[in-house]
Amino acid sequence: MRRDVETVHFPFRIRGYAMRFSRPLGALLAGSLIVAGMTACRDDGDPAGKGGSASPSGAGTPAAAGLRPRDVVVTADCMLGGSAAAIDIAGWDPRTWKRLTQITFDLPAPAIFSTVDARALTPMIDLCRQPGSEGVYDSDSMEWAVPRIRAMFDRDFTRMAVVLRGSGGDETHVGFIDRQGKLTDLTGGGDSLGFTPREENAAMAPDGSAVWFTYETSDGKHRIGSRPVNGAHTLTDQGPATDTNLPLVLVGQPFRGVQAEMVHLSPDGSRMTAWAHGVDENVFDVPATSTALTADTAKHPKSLDGCPEAVGWTGPQTVLCRMDQLGQFRAVGTDPGAAPGPVLVPANDKENEGEVISPDGKRFIFNSHRASDPTGGFMGFYVAGTTPGSAPQKLTVDALNAQTVFLEWR
C-alpha cells in the first residue's frame, strides 16, 4: 500500500557525538513530517512506499509476510503527523539492499513519543524527537541508543512496548501495540483509589509474552517488573532498579532485565558490554537475575582501554569499538593485555557512529556526519569490514535517510 500523502523532510537531523553525562540538543531528531495525514502500511505494503529502493529507478521487492529469521537488516523510522506518529520497521536484503518487509506500528494518542507529551523514560523519544527537544537518557550516540530502541520490540517485530500517559500528573503506564494497531494498556487502574502508577522504560520480551519495565513502589523504591500480555496483566516484581535515567534491556534465557546503557551481548550470551553511573569498567558477566548495573552488582568487570563506545561483538573475545570523538573504529580483544587492532576506516574529518554488526562479525554499518556542522550534517550510511584492508561502501538507497536507525543485522 502506497502512502498517498505529501511528505516534507526536515533539512537536517543531528546525529551528533554525545559525551557521557551530557544531554545534547537535537540528536536523533525525527526526520519527516507527514502533513496530509498518515495511512498505516502493513506487511503487504509497497516496498518503495517511502520513495526509494536499492535501485536507481526506485523499483523494490514485494514485502514478505514477516521478517525472515536470518540474512536481513532491520531499520526503524519515526513518522510524525501533527499530534500523531507511527514507527516504520523495514527488513532489507544486505546483498541487494532491496526492501523485503515493511511493518508499521501506529502510535495512539496516549503513547509518549516526545518530551512535549511527558518527560518519561522511553526509547520512543530517541526515535521521534523533534528539532530543539531534549532527550531523556545520558547519551544519544548510536552505540548507546540502538540497544535500548531494539528492546521495545519482540524478536519478530510483532509487538512494540510503549509508555503511556496516565490520567494526570506524573502517572505513567506501560502497554504494547500489535501489528493490527491495537493498543493494550497493561497497567490500567489509574482512575481508581490507590497509589499512582509510575511505570516506564518499557521493553518487550523477545517472545512477546510480557512487557518489562522499571517502576516506583508506594514506598519510593525503584524496581524492575513485568506484566504478561495475556490474562490479568498482574505485576511481577523482577529485581532492583535505580532511580537514575538508565534504560532497560532484556538478556538471556530465561529473560532477565538489565538496567544499563550500551548493552551488547557476546556471541555465547555470557558476557556483555555496558555502561552505568558509578561503574568504571565496560565488560561484565551477564547477570544471573534481573538487576540494575552498579558497582556492587557488576560481576567479573573488565575495562577495555580506549573503548568509550562499543558497537558490539565481532567474535567470542573481540569487541568493535568507536575509539575517539571523530569516529575511528578498531577491534579490541577482551583477553588480558590485548591491544586495540588497526583502524578500520580511512582517516577522515567526519564524525562516525557504529550501529549494527553482521551475524558473522565480518561487517558493520555506521553513519557519518560532518563534524564542523552544528546541525549534524548527515552524510549517509556505510558498510565496512571489521578487519583492515577493505574500503567502506556507501549505501545509496533513497529510503535510508537521516532519520533511519539500524536496529539489527541477523
Side-chain angles (χ1 to χ4, degrees):
M1 183 187 307
R2 293 191 63 84
R3 298 182 188 281
D4 296 321
V5 297
E6 178 184 0
T7 303
V8 177
H9 293 279
F10 291 114
F12 61 84
R13 179 187 184 191
I14 295 177
R15 282 178 171 273
Y17 177 84
M19 294 295 291
R20 290 177 190 166
F21 311 111
S22 67
R23 296 173 182 269
L25 297 179
L28 292 167
L29 302 179
S32 54
L33 175 63
I34 311 300
V35 296
M38 293 186 297
T39 302
C41 183
R42 302 300 171 197
D43 290 0
D44 58 351
D46 172 40
K50 294 178 69 177
S53 73
S55 63
S57 66
T61 300
L67 289 168
R68 60 193 188 191
R70 61 183 62 86
D71 200 28
V72 64
V73 176
V74 184
T75 61
D77 291 88
C78 179
M79 301 179 299
L80 299 178
S83 60
I87 304 300
D88 253 6
I89 300 297
W92 304 87
D93 187 318
R95 293 181 300 274
T96 64
W97 289 102
K98 290 184 178 180
R99 184 167 11 204
L100 304 173
T101 304
Q102 186 170 347
I103 303 164
T104 297
F105 292 93
D106 295 319
L107 294 178
I112 296 173
F113 57 87
S114 77
T115 52
V116 175
D117 296 320
R119 193 165 184 84
L121 295 177
T122 170
M124 195 70 70
I125 294 174
D126 290 326
L127 278 175
C128 297
R129 282 170 56 184
Q130 300 181 58
S133 65
E134 295 185 8
V136 293
Y137 296 109
D138 280 296
S139 174
D140 293 323
S141 67
M142 297 307 294
E143 295 87 358
W144 296 45
V146 167
R148 63 189 185 228
I149 297 172
R150 178 63 183 90
M152 293 192 301
F153 304 91
D154 65 348
R155 185 180 296 110
D156 296 323
F157 292 87
T158 64
R159 291 169 173 166
M160 178 177 68
V162 292
V163 177
L164 307 169
R165 292 187 301 272
S167 58
D170 58 354
E171 177 181 327
T172 52
H173 298 192
V174 297
F176 72 94
I177 301 168
D178 63 20
R179 287 188 185 179
Q180 287 69 47
K182 179 183 177 182
L183 168 67
T184 302
D185 182 342
L186 300 178
T187 306
D191 295 328
S192 62
L193 291 175
F195 296 102
T196 301
R198 296 182 179 88
E199 301 178 355
E200 50 191 355
N201 274 325
M204 179 60 69
D207 63 358
S209 62
V211 171
W212 292 55
F213 50 92
T214 57
Y215 71 101
E216 185 177 348
T217 65
S218 59
D219 56 357
K221 295 180 180 179
H222 294 267
R223 307 287 297 178
I224 297 170
S226 66
R227 293 183 182 275
V229 300
N230 297 315
H233 314 313
T234 303
L235 168 66
T236 298
D237 183 79
Q238 300 288 355
T242 71
D243 61 354
T244 63
N245 61 335
L246 291 173
L248 183 72
V249 300
L250 297 185
V251 300
Q253 183 64 257
F255 307 131
R256 286 96 75 193
V258 176
Q259 192 184 10
E261 286 279 15
M262 202 173 64
V263 176
H264 300 280
L265 295 185
S266 63
D268 66 359
S270 64
R271 298 279 279 170
M272 66 180 187
T273 63
W275 180 91
H277 307 95
V279 182
D280 295 331
E281 300 82 8
N282 53 11
V283 178
F284 314 88
D285 284 351
V286 172
T289 59
S290 295
T291 187
L293 180 63
T294 66
D296 292 332
T297 63
K299 302 300 182 184
H300 297 105
K302 177 180 174 56
S303 293
L304 294 184
D305 293 336
C307 188
E309 318 290 338
V311 184
W313 297 72
T314 63
Q317 296 176 317
T318 309
V319 175
L320 179 65
C321 299
R322 176 157 62 94
M323 304 296 295
D324 52 45
Q325 182 168 346
L326 290 182
Q328 189 52 264
F329 300 94
R330 301 176 190 256
V332 180
T334 61
D335 289 334
V343 297
L344 301 174
V345 176
N348 63 88
D349 60 356
K350 307 301 188 294
E351 293 187 10
N352 308 311
E353 297 172 300
E355 302 210 15
V356 292
I357 299 174
S358 63
D360 62 5
K362 295 180 178 180
R363 292 172 292 168
F364 70 103
I365 295 173
F366 67 92
N367 74 73
S368 183
H369 49 90
R370 289 189 295 270
S372 59
D373 190 335
T375 63
F378 178 69
M379 301 292 290
F381 296 102
Y382 291 81
V383 180
T386 58
T387 56
S390 62
Q393 300 296 312
K394 187 172 184 177
L395 295 179
T396 57
V397 184
D398 291 342
L400 299 177
N401 49 56
Q403 74 265 22
T404 303
V405 175
F406 283 80
L407 295 184
E408 183 180 5
W409 189 341
R410 63 189 188 189

